[in-house]
Amino acid sequence: MRDLKNLEAITMDGARISDSCFQTISFNCKSLVEIGLSKCLGVTNTDSCRGLVCLKIESCNMITEKGLYQLGSFCLRLEEIDLTDCNGVNDKGLEYLSRCSELLFLKLGLCENISDKGLFNIASNCLRIQGLDLYKCSGIGDDGLAALSNGCKKLKKLNLSYCVNVTDRGMEHIGSMEDLSDLELRGLTKITSAGLTALAAGCKRLADLDLKHCAKIDDSGFWALAYYSQNLRQINLSYCALSDMALCMVMGNMTRLQDAKLVHLTNCTREGFELALRSCCMRIKKVKLLAPIRFLLSSEILETLHAAGCKIRWD
């Protein structure tokens, strides 16, 4: 380590590491700005790398609010931190972390002990955030999204998949985030067409949208999506309840759409898939379909898609 004084980044994912080892690294490598310690055994709250810009500590369960206090007190240059599946992270810890006001990217997926209260602190102080991952954070609801929409105006990427307490009111708040381009809403069973309409009407820059398993959205929501979301390039509609007509509307109206996942659309018929694929066959680049449909679609549409360079993934 004494020969690596100019080292700026180090990745030790999955290694067994002690506090003394980490202190040796931080003492000798004064130029470190990025550390990857995801799934490392032995990582604790000890922190002595005060110039850090990027810290990745996914699945390090010995990290607690004490560690986040140190980060919020001494690592004020921090721009990116991955705390995915760190069970010791709680609302108090997020309050400490929110002192890192330069944060741009924050991953909190699978952190089961955080709630709207913790998100409020992040939204109130980390105004530069562009990417936020809240995957399966069941304590996050509409009030947290209200705080987020008021504070984090520069947010571009948001993952709310399986945040099961989010409702249409939360979608209304998200609809005010005009810069949002990438949104994952997988498994949000409480949102309906009203929520999707509010979202689509407000987020005109959406390019990537995941609605897999959003079963309560009916055709009216998808019609609104087809009307407002002209910039969408990728969409996941798998396990959704749209009809043939809505599918054709979505695939035909979204003229920039390049990648669509259309698995287990139980309300759609062979004719619906055929017409939908015809409406976009000259521009779609990737499509995911249920394998049995392969034997129902006409050879003509399959050949047309292939000739246009579209890659079909059969699930």
Side-chain angles (χ1 to χ4, degrees):
M1 287 300 167
R2 283 194 291 269
D3 296 328
L4 298 173
K5 293 182 179 180
N6 295 321
L7 188 68
E8 294 183 357
I10 185 170
T11 300
M12 304 175 68
D13 295 352
R16 184 180 294 277
I17 185 169
S18 64
D19 287 346
S20 60
C21 177
F22 190 64
Q23 288 170 356
T24 299
I25 294 172
S26 60
F27 179 78
N28 289 283
C29 305
K30 300 296 186 183
S31 298
L32 270 180
V33 294
E34 179 176 343
I35 299 179
L37 299 171
S38 295
K39 300 181 180 179
C40 285
L41 299 177
V43 176
T44 67
N45 294 313
T46 299
D47 173 49
S48 48
C49 297
R50 302 190 178 190
L52 280 182
V53 174
C54 176
L55 178 60
K56 299 177 181 180
I57 46 178
E58 174 189 356
S59 300
C60 293
N61 289 324
M62 295 175 71
I63 300 294
T64 67
E65 63 184 59
K66 180 181 177 182
L68 297 183
Y69 170 80
Q70 293 193 33
L71 289 175
S73 299
F74 305 116
C75 298
L76 300 182
R77 293 176 55 195
L78 207 59
E79 294 181 358
E80 179 178 354
I81 183 167
D82 186 349
L83 294 167
T84 303
D85 198 23
C86 290
N87 294 328
V89 175
N90 57 20
D91 287 340
K92 191 64 176 179
L94 292 186
E95 179 183 343
Y96 295 139
L97 185 64
S98 70
R99 298 171 185 172
C100 299
S101 58
E102 300 299 309
L103 270 180
L104 297 176
F105 302 99
L106 175 60
K107 291 188 175 183
L108 296 169
L110 297 170
C111 290
E112 300 177 349
N113 296 314
I114 64 172
S115 70
D116 290 339
K117 181 179 179 181
L119 189 57
F120 175 83
N121 285 305
I122 294 294
S124 299
N125 298 300
C126 303
L127 308 184
R128 299 182 63 206
I129 281 188
Q130 297 179 20
L132 178 61
D133 186 346
L134 296 169
Y135 175 79
K136 281 193 175 180
C137 292
S138 57
I140 299 298
D142 298 336
D143 290 340
L145 297 182
L148 202 62
S149 65
N150 288 327
C152 301
K153 301 293 187 181
K154 298 182 179 180
L155 196 65
K156 295 180 180 179
K157 185 173 183 178
L158 177 61
N159 187 349
L160 292 172
S161 292
Y162 303 106
C163 292
V164 294
N165 290 314
V166 172
T167 71
D168 287 342
R169 187 165 67 88
M171 293 300 100
E172 293 173 5
H173 294 308
I174 294 176
S176 67
M177 300 180 186
E178 297 180 354
D179 287 343
L180 203 61
S181 62
D182 189 327
L183 181 60
E184 296 186 48
L185 301 175
R186 185 178 297 199
L188 298 194
T189 57
K190 292 183 179 179
I191 64 172
T192 69
S193 293
L196 182 58
T197 299
L199 170 69
C203 299
K204 300 290 182 57
R205 296 183 183 179
L206 270 183
D208 191 341
L209 179 62
D210 190 339
L211 293 171
K212 183 177 180 180
H213 284 297
C214 291
K216 288 190 177 179
I217 300 174
D218 60 23
D219 279 2
S220 63
F222 293 110
W223 292 336
L225 188 68
Y227 178 78
Y228 289 114
S229 300
Q230 296 297 310
N231 287 312
L232 270 179
R233 288 172 172 79
Q234 297 184 59
I235 193 166
N236 189 347
L237 298 176
S238 299
Y239 295 89
C240 286
L242 69 171
S243 68
D244 287 346
M245 185 178 295
L247 180 61
C248 291
M249 183 84 75
V250 168
M251 300 300 287
N253 277 26
M254 295 179 180
T255 56
R256 298 185 181 183
L257 192 64
Q258 297 183 3
D259 187 343
K261 295 179 177 65
L262 308 173
V263 175
H264 288 287
L265 303 184
T266 55
N267 291 345
C268 293
T269 65
R270 179 195 68 80
E271 291 79 8
F273 278 104
E274 186 94 15
L275 289 172
L277 292 172
R278 286 183 184 278
S279 70
C280 64
C281 62
M282 301 311 295
R283 51 181 165 76
I284 196 79
K285 300 301 180 185
K286 294 180 181 179
V287 63
K288 183 178 180 181
L289 299 168
L290 204 60
I293 296 177
R294 183 175 193 169
F295 305 102
L296 300 177
L297 295 173
S298 68
S299 57
E300 179 189 355
I301 187 60
L302 294 176
E303 290 170 3
T304 301
L305 288 167
H306 178 73
C310 177
K311 295 181 179 180
I312 305 177
R313 178 182 171 188
W314 301 103
D315 188 62

